[in-house]
């Protein structure tokens, strides 16, 4: 036999081994057996071996089936046997249960007699107890009758308590005649005792024999205590009415003694009466009855009703006289002092001071407003008096200078009138909190808000306004005045918020939502914003010579560029010198940062406006302007750090070991804002750098850099380059063709970038070069009240210097149009500048206009137009909200830190 032809037994064993594998594959197995053509000769042998193996498997399966059948029969037999066992078990359980029930029945029959004996014993015990109590009740009743007739009240009180307690056990037996009769007899004795004790009290007090019979009356109170709350209340009520009878007769509201002028006599009378009680009557009544407190309550109720009647008659008088405020306050103050004295006397702990901001005592004291409640409806007279007094303070504050001439200027102080105003507020609030913590305090808070608005508009805004003085030039506020106004606005913002919190801490819970001084705080923040812009205006005035030099430079004739133009060093020096002077006076970093941001915005707007006056501008000139922009950006990047050294002049010969303050690195946020603001002209200057030949390059440069399809804007660029009018139609045709091309069809018709630059140039080309700021004023001349209202209403998001600049330019355009029509103002042409009109002309600076509206334009402070006042106040609030948000982004706390030391 060859190697490829195994025997049948070997083949069967190999097959069995391979077939039992889990991954058996017959194809692979056959390929292994017949791996060579020569092995095909053994196919029949292999088939025979497989048949034998199959037969063996069939035989094994048949054996297993027979074995399983035999096992199933055995299982069925075992199951049937288990069922028979369970049935037998259930029969045994039922038998046990039946025997248990029989046993229980036998035990119940044996113990039934015992239960009957127990019930008999219980009933017998209850009967004996009831008879014993009935005997005790009968005996106590007979003794009580005897003690009552002999007025032995101490023993009567003890027996009476026992009788009442025993009678409570027989409530369920009143259907029995004997018990019902006994119950009626006990009730008669109680009624007789009540009447007898009341009669004894009446006779004793009528005959003034209290001292002789004090012991008997004290024991009689024990009887009244035993009779219950109704009897005790009757006796206390009689005593209070008896003691107050004389008071009610003497101080009737219709008599002179009952008038408000004699209010102190009322309280003196009660003090004498309560002293009499403490000395003579306190020992009669038990201390836990609180008779003295009941007496005080009765006095307060009667007095309050009298005052309500008296005050109502005073208001309805026909002789034309009104209620005397001083008398009202005097009476109210005496009443509050009296109530306070009652609280100290009758409360276990002393009353919380009314001068505190809030009280931890949730429940109001028992005598709080017990009498003063009658004055509550008439406190409006007092609030009106405070209103009139405040109305006299505002003109005086307005007429005072911001800084007394005999005092040295301190950049951290505030205007004295502001601290005086809030001192008056604090005192008035403390007084009102004593008088009322309800609706009158709400009225007072509204008065506070009214005069905070007027102080912001008629005093602070007036100080920073350009005002006619009867001669030329007009009065311009100094930097020191502006710093004081800024400090005061910050102080008023902070203190207004604290005032609101203090009022809410004192007012009743239901009125807290009615107190709101946030709008007044926002108005003061608006004053701070206006002051910052006025300080920036001071720098703008100093820069005019440098801007004039820029306009006089021949930008169209430049042959080469340099590091910077000749006007740039002087411009940077002027900016830094004046900015350093101002920043040194700003003691809060937030305002210094706001000043720097506004200054950068001013420089950027002025630079853009003056570019429009420098036409024509050649390609070399535009390149030089780009270099100047970079120089300005680099030079102004250290504006926030100008105060890092004590002197602006560098020390060329420092001493060894001398302390120096290293200049901090420029703030990243400011640097980024500076670069963004000053780079607004970069797209325009890059466009101006492109030569007009070939013309397609200039058109494409405009579309790429300015990203705008506005034809007026493109014409302005052509005018700036000095392209003659005859050559412009061809360029405009090319512009119209290119802007419709697929490359530029997605551009907007008017882009914000081009509008921010070229609209400014359109304004500046109409006349003066300024950015809407008057030459000698302190604030933008074109920023009229109407424009300020538009600015306040349109600021829909975060307050930003860029948005303010755009608003200023819009206001400037309106201002230029007005100045052109004014015969009293002249100045036009390139290089000219809009100047302030003479006093009384319509071109007065915005703050001057607002100051006139706020105070009537006079030193004494008139009422002005109420509608205009409301508009100005609303505008200040709107600007203040966004300026506060902008300051919040600089870090630090806004309005924080009191200046108690510098007030």
């Amino acid at each position: 036999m060859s190697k490829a032809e195994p025997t049948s037994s070997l083949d069967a064993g190999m097959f069995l081994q391979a077939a039992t594998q889990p991954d058996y594959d017959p194809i692979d197995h056959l390929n292994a057996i017949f791996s060579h053509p020569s092995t095909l000769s053994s196919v029949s042998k292999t088939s025979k071996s497989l048949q034998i193996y199959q037969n063996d498997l069939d035989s094994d399966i048949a054996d297993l089936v027979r074995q399983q059948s035999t096992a199933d029969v055995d299982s069925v037999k075992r199951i049937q046997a288990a069922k028979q066992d369970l049935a037998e078990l259930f029969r045994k359980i039922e038998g046990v249960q039946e025997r248990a029930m029989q046993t229980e029945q036998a035990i119940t029959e044996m113990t039934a007699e015992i239960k009957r004996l127990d019930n008999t014993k219980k009933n017998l015990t209850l009967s004996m107890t009831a008879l014993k109590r009935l005997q005790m009740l009968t005996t106590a009743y007979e003794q009580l009758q005897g003690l009552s007739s002999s007025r032995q009240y101490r023993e009567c009180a003890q027996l009476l308590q026992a009788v009442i307690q025993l009678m409570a056990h027989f409530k369920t037996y009143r259907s029995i005649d004997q018990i019902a009769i006994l119950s009626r007899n006990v009730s008669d004795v109680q009624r007789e005792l009540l009447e007898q004790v009341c009669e004894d009290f009446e006779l004793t007090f009528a005959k003034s024999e209290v001292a002789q019979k004090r012991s008997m009356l004290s024991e009689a109170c024990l009887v009244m205590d035993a009779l219950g709350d109704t009897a005790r209340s009757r006796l206390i009520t009689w005593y209070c009415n008896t003691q107050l009878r004389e008071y009610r007769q003497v101080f009737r509201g219709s008599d002179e003694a009952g008038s408000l002028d004699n209010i102190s006599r009322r309280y003196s009378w009660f003090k004498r009466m309560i002293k009499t009680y403490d000395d003579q009557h306190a020992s009669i009544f038990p201390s836990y009855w609180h008779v003295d407190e009941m007496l005080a309550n009765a006095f307060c109720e009667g007095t309050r009703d009298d005052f309500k009647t008296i005050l109502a008659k005073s208001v309805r008088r026909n002789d034309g006289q009104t209620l005397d405020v001083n008398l009202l306050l005097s009476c109210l103050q005496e009443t509050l002092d009296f109530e306070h004295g009652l609280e100290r006397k009758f409360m276990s702990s002393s009353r919380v001071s009314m001068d505190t901001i809030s009280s931890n005592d949730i429940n109001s004291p028992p005598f709080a407003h017990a009498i003063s409640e009658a004055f509550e409806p008439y406190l409006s007279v007092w609030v009106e008096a405070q209103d009139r007094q405040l109305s006299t303070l505002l003109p005086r504050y307005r007429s005072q200078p911001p800084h007394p001439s005999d005092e040295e200027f301190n950049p951290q102080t505030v205007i004295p009138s502001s601290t005086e105003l809030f001192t008056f507020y604090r005192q008035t609030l403390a007084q009102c909190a004593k008088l009322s913590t309800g609706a009158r305090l709400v009225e007072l808070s509204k008065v506070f808000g009214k005069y905070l608005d007027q102080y912001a508009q008629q005093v602070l805004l007036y100080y920073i306004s350009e005002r006619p003085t009867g001669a030329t030039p007009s009065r311009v506020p100094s930097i020191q005045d502006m710093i004081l106004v800024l400090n005061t606005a910050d102080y008023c913002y902070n203190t207004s918020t604290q005032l609101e919190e203090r009022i809410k801490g004192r007012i009743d819970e239901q009125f807290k939502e009615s107190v709101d001084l946030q709008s007044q705080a926002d108005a003061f923040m608006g004053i701070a914003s206006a002051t910052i812009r006025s300080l920036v205006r001071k720098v703008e005035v100093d820069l005019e010579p440098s801007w004039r030099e820029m306009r006089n430079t021949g930008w169209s004739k430049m042959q080469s560029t340099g590091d910077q133009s000749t006007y740039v060093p002087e411009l940077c020096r002027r900016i830094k010198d004046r900015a350093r002077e101002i920043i040194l006076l700003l003691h809060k970093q937030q305002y210094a940062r706001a000043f720097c941001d506004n200054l950068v915005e001013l420089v950027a707007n002025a630079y853009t406006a003056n570019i429009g006056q420098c036409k024509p501008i050649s390609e070399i000139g535009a390149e030089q302007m780009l270099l100047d922009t970079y120089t300005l950006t680099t030079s102004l990047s250290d504006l926030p750090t100008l105060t890092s050294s004590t002197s602006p002049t560098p020390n060329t010969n420092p001493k060894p070991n001398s302390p120096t303050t290293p200049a901090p690195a420029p703030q990243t946020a400011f640097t980024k804002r500076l670069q963004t603001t000053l780079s607004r002209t970069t797209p325009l200057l890059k466009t101006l750098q492109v030569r007009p030949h070939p013309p397609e390059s200039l058109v494409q440069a405009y579309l790429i850099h300015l990203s705008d399809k506005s034809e007026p804007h493109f014409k302005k660029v052509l005018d700036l380059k000095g392209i003659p009018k005859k050559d412009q139609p061809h360029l405009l045709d090319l512009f119209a063709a290119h802007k419709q091309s697929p490359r530029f069809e997605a551009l907007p018709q008017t882009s914000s970038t081009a509008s921010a630059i070229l609209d400014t140039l359109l304004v500046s080309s109409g006349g003066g070069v300024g950015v809407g700021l008057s030459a000698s004023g302190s604030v933008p001349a074109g920023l009229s009240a109407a424009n300020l209202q538009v600015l306040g209403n349109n600021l829909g998001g975060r307050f930003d210097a860029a948005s303010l600049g755009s608003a200023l330019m819009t206001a400037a355009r309106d201002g230029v149009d007005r100045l052109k029509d004014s015969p009293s103002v002249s100045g036009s042409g390139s290089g000219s500048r809009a100047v302030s009109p003479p006093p009384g002309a319509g071109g007065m600076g915005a703050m001057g206009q607002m100051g006139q509206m706020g105070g009537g334009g006079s030193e004494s402070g008139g009422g002005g137009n109420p509608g205009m006042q409301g508009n100005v106040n609303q505008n200040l609030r709107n600007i203040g909200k966004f300026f506060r948000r902008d300051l919040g982004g600089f870090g630090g706390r806004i309005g924080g830190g009191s200046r108690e030391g510098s007030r």
Side-chain angles (χ1 to χ4, degrees), residues 525-546:
M525 194 53 61
I527 293 292
S529 175
T531 308
I532 291 293
R533 294 197 294 273
S534 297
L535 292 170
V536 172
R537 165 65 189 151
K538 290 292 184 180
V539 182
E540 196 255 356
V541 172
D542 289 348
L543 302 184
E544 176 55 27
S546 298

Side-chain angles (χ1 to χ4, degrees), residues 633-658:
T633 303
T634 305
S635 178
L636 297 181
S637 62
D638 60 347
L639 273 180
T641 62
L642 288 177
T643 60
S644 59
S645 60
T646 57
S647 175
T649 304
N651 187 2
T652 58
N653 187 21
K655 297 181 181 180
N657 302 325
S658 62

Side-chain angles (χ1 to χ4, degrees), residues 140-165 186 189-190 192-194 196-197 200 216 218-227:
Y141 166 71
E142 294 174 353
Q143 293 178 356
L144 184 60
Q145 281 184 318
L147 294 174
S148 172
S149 59
S150 61
R151 284 180 168 75
Q152 300 180 35
Y153 290 129
R154 182 178 298 275
E155 292 77 8
C156 279
Q158 297 174 357
L159 277 176
L160 183 59
Q161 291 177 357
V163 168
I164 293 175
Q165 291 176 0
V186 170
V189 170
Q190 291 179 354
E192 291 173 1
L193 277 173
L194 174 61
Q196 181 175 315
V197 169
D200 289 344
M216 182 195 70
S218 177
E219 294 176 355
C221 289
L222 299 178
V223 174
M224 302 299 279
D225 230 356
L227 289 174

Side-chain angles (χ1 to χ4, degrees), residues 251-270:
F251 296 97
R252 288 181 298 180
S254 58
D255 296 340
E256 181 181 356
S259 63
L260 292 179
D261 296 332
N262 295 316
I263 191 171
S264 59
R265 293 178 55 191
R266 290 176 178 263
Y267 300 140
S268 298
W269 186 95
F270 178 79

Side-chain angles (χ1 to χ4, degrees), residues 123-370:
N123 293 334
L124 183 60
T125 303
L126 291 176
S127 300
M128 293 176 63
T129 303
L131 289 174
K132 185 176 181 180
R133 288 175 176 171
L134 181 59
Q135 182 182 5
M136 293 172 58
L137 177 60
T138 305
T139 303
Y141 166 71
E142 294 174 353
Q143 293 178 356
L144 184 60
Q145 281 184 318
L147 294 174
S148 172
S149 59
S150 61
R151 284 180 168 75
Q152 300 180 35
Y153 290 129
R154 182 178 298 275
E155 292 77 8
C156 279
Q158 297 174 357
L159 277 176
L160 183 59
Q161 291 177 357
V163 168
I164 293 175
Q165 291 176 0
L166 290 171
M167 251 341 278
H169 294 290
F170 292 96
K171 285 184 179 180
T172 57
Y173 302 105
R174 289 185 179 177
S175 58
I176 302 174
D177 294 339
Q178 291 81 357
I179 300 298
I181 294 172
L182 182 59
S183 177
R184 286 195 295 271
N185 292 336
V186 170
S187 299
D188 292 340
V189 170
Q190 291 179 354
R191 186 165 49 256
E192 291 173 1
L193 277 173
L194 174 61
E195 298 298 333
Q196 181 175 315
V197 169
C198 291
E199 183 181 356
D200 289 344
F201 266 90
E202 291 175 2
L203 291 175
T204 302
F205 276 85
K207 296 179 180 179
S208 301
E209 297 176 351
V210 176
Q212 295 82 356
K213 298 183 179 181
R214 184 178 291 114
S215 177
M216 182 195 70
L217 296 179
S218 177
E219 294 176 355
C221 289
L222 299 178
V223 174
M224 302 299 279
D225 230 356
L227 289 174
D229 294 338
T230 303
R232 182 169 59 246
S233 299
R234 175 180 171 180
L235 180 60
I236 294 175
T237 302
W238 170 84
Y239 175 78
C240 292
N241 291 334
T242 301
Q243 298 301 307
L244 294 176
R245 186 180 298 116
E246 179 185 357
Y247 169 76
R248 291 165 181 165
Q249 293 175 352
V250 173
F251 296 97
R252 288 181 298 180
S254 58
D255 296 340
E256 181 181 356
S259 63
L260 292 179
D261 296 332
N262 295 316
I263 191 171
S264 59
R265 293 178 55 191
R266 290 176 178 263
Y267 300 140
S268 298
W269 186 95
F270 178 79
K271 290 175 182 178
R272 290 194 302 269
M273 184 191 66
I274 205 68
K275 186 177 184 302
T276 300
Y277 171 84
D278 293 336
D279 295 340
Q280 302 177 15
H281 303 162
S283 58
I284 297 176
F285 303 100
S287 59
Y288 55 87
W289 280 18
H290 302 292
V291 175
D292 52 351
E293 189 170 348
M294 297 293 185
L295 185 60
N297 275 324
F299 173 82
C300 292
E301 291 176 1
T303 305
R304 182 179 65 242
D305 294 340
D306 288 347
F307 285 168
K308 287 182 178 180
T309 304
I310 294 171
L311 290 171
K313 290 181 178 179
S314 300
V315 173
R316 296 194 300 266
R317 293 176 61 175
N318 298 324
D319 54 4
Q321 296 183 4
T322 59
L323 189 61
D324 188 349
V325 177
N326 293 330
L327 177 61
L328 178 68
L329 293 183
S330 174
C331 295
L332 183 53
Q333 188 60 53
E334 287 191 49
T335 302
L336 292 172
D337 293 341
F338 176 74
E339 292 174 349
H340 199 176
L342 292 180
E343 290 170 19
R344 287 198 304 268
K345 178 178 178 60
F346 297 115
M347 289 184 64
S348 58
S349 59
S350 61
R351 179 184 178 185
V352 179
S353 173
M354 290 298 294
D355 291 331
T356 55
I357 293 178
S358 62
S359 174
N360 294 326
D361 187 9
I362 300 177
N363 299 321
S364 60
F367 291 98
H369 309 296

Side-chain angles (χ1 to χ4, degrees), residues 50-118:
L50 290 174
Q51 185 64 43
I52 294 172
Y53 181 69
Q54 182 180 357
N55 294 335
D56 292 341
L57 288 176
D58 291 339
S59 177
D60 293 342
I61 290 172
D63 292 341
L64 291 173
V65 170
R66 285 193 298 273
Q67 294 175 5
Q68 185 64 37
S69 299
T70 304
D72 291 342
V73 173
D74 295 340
S75 297
V76 171
K77 291 180 180 179
R78 288 195 295 271
I79 291 173
Q80 291 177 351
K83 288 182 178 180
Q84 293 175 358
D85 293 341
L86 284 174
E88 182 64 24
L89 178 62
F90 286 142
R91 284 195 296 272
K92 291 180 180 180
I93 291 174
E94 291 176 356
V96 171
Q97 186 176 8
E98 184 178 356
R99 288 194 296 270
M101 294 176 62
Q102 292 173 357
T103 302
E104 182 182 3
Q105 184 178 0
I107 293 173
T108 301
E109 291 175 355
M110 288 188 295
T111 59
E113 190 65 25
I114 298 175
K115 288 183 179 180
R116 282 194 295 271
L117 291 175
D118 287 341

Side-chain angles (χ1 to χ4, degrees), residues 35 203 679 766:
S35 61
L203 291 175
S679 63

